[in-house]
Amino acid sequence: LLKDAERNKISVTAEEWKNIETQFKKQIEELRVVMELTPAVIDPKASAADRAKAAQLKVDQFFDAMTSGKVQLRMLPGMIAYALRGHEKFGVNQVGVKRAVDLAVAKAGDNPVPGMPGAIAPAPGPAPVPGGSGTP
């Protein structure tokens, strides 16, 4: 996208860039707080190795809580997601996905949790009338 913008001589004003930067920093800070990657946990006076271990522990704890449904899924800011996709190897293990689905179906059985994201519930009221005017 940026390469296309450069090719077409589209530029960002200083004010627009400042807004982008402010939003990015806000999103990063929100992630840091949610994941508890704060100076209270990550001691700035500790060695780089100790800070990395503490951060890794907090990230692991966050992902464990997220995958167990204890905390809400948080999307990565677009630029971080883009950078990780461009420089880090990733993939989806289809066998693992199938196993996760099988476990979830077995756990839910015939009675899925009400209000569960993705749960299907009948729409209220009668079925829509084909060819209707869109007004009741």
Side-chain angles (χ1 to χ4, degrees):
L1 185 61
L2 292 175
K3 289 178 183 177
D4 287 341
E6 285 177 359
R7 225 183 341 258
N8 293 306
K9 306 216 185 299
I10 298 171
S11 61
V12 178
T13 66
E15 183 179 343
E16 290 170 330
W17 184 251
K18 186 66 177 169
N19 287 338
I20 291 169
E21 183 180 29
T22 300
Q23 288 301 315
F24 180 78
K25 286 180 179 180
K26 179 181 173 189
Q27 291 172 331
I28 295 297
E29 187 57 27
E30 287 173 2
L31 284 174
R32 284 173 28 89
V33 170
V34 167
M35 296 173 79
E36 298 180 12
L37 295 170
T38 60
V41 175
I42 312 296
D43 183 4
K45 296 177 184 174
S47 70
D50 287 343
R51 288 194 313 270
K53 285 180 189 175
Q56 182 179 4
L57 178 64
K58 281 299 178 183
V59 170
D60 287 345
Q61 289 172 348
F62 175 77
F63 276 93
D64 288 344
M66 187 175 59
T67 56
S68 66
K70 294 177 184 170
V71 298
Q72 185 178 5
L73 172 68
R74 302 289 300 225
M75 300 305 290
L76 287 175
M79 291 305 292
I80 291 179
Y82 172 78
L84 290 174
R85 285 185 194 113
H87 300 292
E88 300 297 329
K89 292 181 181 179
F90 66 95
V92 176
N93 182 321
Q94 294 301 326
V95 174
V97 170
K98 182 179 180 338
R99 176 76 174 131
V101 169
D102 291 345
L103 288 172
V105 168
K107 185 175 182 179
D110 291 333
N111 300 311
V113 178
M116 178 174 31
I120 298 174
V129 178
S133 65
T135 58

